[in-house]
Amino acid sequence: LVPFGICMALLNIGGIVWFSRRRLSPLGELQIAVRRREFIVHYQPIVEIRTGRCVGAEALVRWRPPDGSLLSPDLFIPLAESSGLIKPITDQVITLVVADLGQLLATDRSMHIAINLCAEDVATGRVLPVIEKALRNTGIQPDQIWLEMTERGFIDIDAACTTLTRARELGYSAAIDDFGTGYSRLSYLESLPLDALKIDKSFIDTIDTDSATSSVTSHIIDMAKTLKLVIVAEGIESQYQADYLTKRGVEYGQGWLFARPIPAEEFVDYYQKTKTA
Ligand code: C2E
Ligand code: CA
Ligand code: CA
Ligand code: CA
């Protein structure tokens, strides 16, 4: 029998040989990824539900390490947020959006791009001058930029108000993301200066069912309408859901029924094909 300690030592050596980068902690790996700019952005079309006409896209980050794999944001955004690395990642996303879609955005003023902000950037407004600088001399107008903030990490409503007010003065639009899933309070909706509300997929999922949650979805729609917010439904997968939302007067949506998040070139093709649908 080989003693346990020796087994572990052998396993460790094997690990070092086979996964040389795995020697690092996940945080160490993410730091290197930020330094080497290993992130790319996929774009999920946002469409007019009734017609399928594409009106814009949401920028969704992915991590592409040198081994060729593609890592979903759910695997690294939580660590990025808790470590502060989300800030340089957000900056890289903004740069990538301008590089990928700048030309399209500058020539088609009716198109918009939605960018996800972390709670800290919503609180401090740090990201606003970053966006302003990225847009300079590109021909992209501020009103083509939608800032999505999730209520997941919301702490300071006054700070968020200050940032959103400033953002809207600069011409950007503000959307509350994943509405209904976090610390949402109705008061948030009334006190935040918002242009749009995104209904989380978990509520859209209930449209096929007769459950009580489904009536919550209906209430969210009514509330958003009362507050005159643009509504975007997220995670639409079935025609039944699309028909229900159209019937309820929800104009915009995104989801696999229309398109998955796709690389920039594919998105540009998709946009050209469906913008006049
Ligand atoms: P989110 O902002 O709620 O983005 C929508 C997520 O739902 C995306 O997942 C998208 O691929 C997925 N989705 C859209 N339609 C459907 C559908 O019909 N069916 C299903 N099953 N899924 C659908 P993704 O790309 O994995 O992103 C996950 C989350 O990571 C995002 O959720 C967002 O919170 C965060 N995230 C992504 N990119 C960024 C970023 O650049 N910055 C920050 N701070 N967070 C980001
Ligand atoms: Ca989002
Ligand atoms: Ca969302
Ligand atoms: Ca969501």
Side-chain angles (χ1 to χ4, degrees):
L1 270 180
V2 186
F4 180 73
I6 294 180
C7 276
M8 292 313 290
L10 286 172
L11 274 176
N12 274 335
I13 292 166
I16 289 166
V17 172
W18 290 107
F19 307 103
S20 58
R21 273 188 77 170
R22 305 271 163 213
R23 269 175 310 183
L24 298 167
S25 63
L27 181 59
E29 292 201 31
L30 196 58
Q31 276 163 340
I32 290 190
V34 168
R35 212 176 305 138
R36 294 187 184 156
R37 307 182 78 87
E38 290 177 354
F39 301 94
I40 61 165
V41 176
H42 280 180
Y43 299 90
Q44 183 172 37
I46 297 174
V47 305
E48 187 178 57
I49 300 173
R50 194 175 52 81
T51 59
R53 182 174 68 95
C54 185
V55 297
E58 176 175 5
L60 294 158
V61 71
R62 276 95 182 85
W63 176 5
R64 193 169 53 186
D67 68 5
S69 58
L70 200 59
L71 303 183
S72 136
D74 289 330
L75 293 173
F76 61 88
I77 292 285
L79 178 60
E81 284 182 350
S82 62
S83 63
L85 284 173
I86 188 66
K87 284 176 268 174
I89 294 175
T90 302
D91 295 355
Q92 288 181 32
V93 167
I94 291 165
T95 307
L96 286 164
V97 164
V98 171
D100 288 342
L101 298 185
Q103 214 180 351
L104 185 63
L105 286 160
T107 48
D108 196 334
R109 289 285 326 278
S110 64
M111 184 195 154
H112 78 261
I113 180 80
I115 294 171
N116 290 287
L117 300 188
C118 66
E120 201 185 327
D121 278 347
V122 173
T124 63
R126 177 204 70 94
V127 78
L128 299 180
V130 176
I131 298 174
E132 224 183 336
K133 189 163 165 235
L135 296 191
R136 218 171 280 158
N137 304 321
T138 61
I140 306 170
Q141 301 303 313
D143 66 3
Q144 294 179 275
I145 307 291
W146 288 50
L147 303 177
E148 294 191 2
M149 73 219 56
T150 124
E151 19 134 43
R152 235 183 300 140
F154 261 15
I155 357 139
D156 188 341
I157 197 102
D158 291 336
C161 265
T162 307
T163 300
L164 297 192
T165 303
R166 179 82 191 113
R168 292 171 94 218
E169 280 166 7
L170 291 166
Y172 312 130
S173 293
I176 187 143
D177 198 2
D178 299 330
F179 186 75
T181 61
Y183 301 90
S184 34
R185 314 235 160 72
L186 296 184
S187 60
Y188 277 13
L189 278 193
E190 285 177 328
S191 47
L192 286 173
L194 292 167
D195 301 282
L197 178 150
K198 296 190 79 170
I199 306 176
D200 190 65
K201 177 176 184 299
S202 56
F203 294 102
I204 303 306
D205 285 344
T206 66
I207 291 174
D208 292 325
T209 71
D210 269 335
S211 76
T213 337
S214 172
S215 76
V216 175
T217 311
S218 189
H219 283 300
I220 294 177
I221 295 170
D222 290 335
M223 220 162 46
K225 281 190 191 160
T226 307
L227 295 165
K228 302 206 164 33
L229 299 173
V230 172
I231 309 174
V232 181
E234 175 183 280
I236 304 172
E237 292 183 345
S238 72
Q239 191 58 49
Y240 182 85
Q241 293 167 338
D243 291 343
Y244 170 89
L245 290 163
T246 301
K247 242 182 279 153
R248 291 291 276 104
V250 175
E251 232 181 320
Y252 302 105
Q254 59 190 97
W256 295 357
L257 176 66
F258 304 102
R260 296 195 179 212
I262 44 182
E265 320 80 70
E266 245 178 88
F267 171 76
V268 173
D269 280 350
Y270 182 94
Y271 182 78
Q272 306 286 11
K273 278 197 207 106
T274 61
K275 70 172 178 180
T276 51

